[in-house]
Amino acid sequence: MRVPMIAGNWKMNTTVSEAVGLVSEMRPELDAIDNVDKVICPPFISLAAVRELIKGSSIKLGAQNIYFEDKGAYTGEISPLMLADLCEFVIIGHSERRQYFNESGEIINRKVQAALRVGLKPILCIGERLEENEAGRTEEVVTEQLRSSLANIDYLTDLVIAYEPVWAIGTGKAATGKQANETIGFIRQIISEKYGKRIAQDLRILYGGSVTADNAAEFISQPEIDGALVGGASLNANEFLSIIRQTAEIKRRLSV
Ligand code: PGA
């Protein structure tokens, strides 16, 4: 059985004190929910403070980005070694990084390798743009993204994939559960062809894109979908808690 995961991607939101406030508000209830990996990904500058706050709890911490060199003259960047001390997960290849910061498949691949090298668990994001979806190219696009970002990587145990159709991110226009399940099943198939059935069956693949407390159940109840990467709704304590509670409940029901 794959342990379901809900990760909150706060993006470029919250000051340090707001981050501390939001985590303090959610901590007791989040901590109490079992059988789901609960991951919070605040901005870099809040990682240390949030880490202190969640010490001793079952809440996990992730960063939103990483650079691939360990140290050196790379003004403004954050290295794998710096993050390895602070958190367990790191989001890599988010479509906003691909789109606004020109991250190519090759750069994303170097970042995944750098994260794994220091023991960080990548949450690798892939997904097609609207025009690619409309042209019926979804499978081709995710296949290419998997090929480039996983080049030379033969160890997937610590990796999580998030399938996020770009047209569904921050738009309020989520995919349907059925669509997302189909594409995620396809992604698992590609992984199976490259890494074998066993690894593909153990790999967690999340859906992301306009997940809310109202539509989460539609995704979570699909057999191929192991959880969600949540943007906007993760900034609201009640919404985020509701998504996680529903996940625990639905996956528990499906496993018996
Ligand atoms: P959203 O963002 O939930 O606000 O659509 C998801 C993401 O970008 O990971």
Side-chain angles (χ1 to χ4, degrees), residues 5 89 122-125 156 158-162 203-206:
M5 173 188 286
F89 293 92
I123 301 175
L124 170 66
C125 302
L156 295 193
D158 284 341
L159 190 104
V160 176
I161 290 179
L203 177 71
R204 289 186 289 185
I205 311 181
L206 316 180

Side-chain angles (χ1 to χ4, degrees), residues 9 11 94 96 164 168-171 208-211 229-233:
N9 173 11
K11 309 193 179 183
H94 192 281
E96 287 150 15
E164 301 204 301
I169 296 177
T171 57
S210 296
V211 174
L229 181 55
V230 184

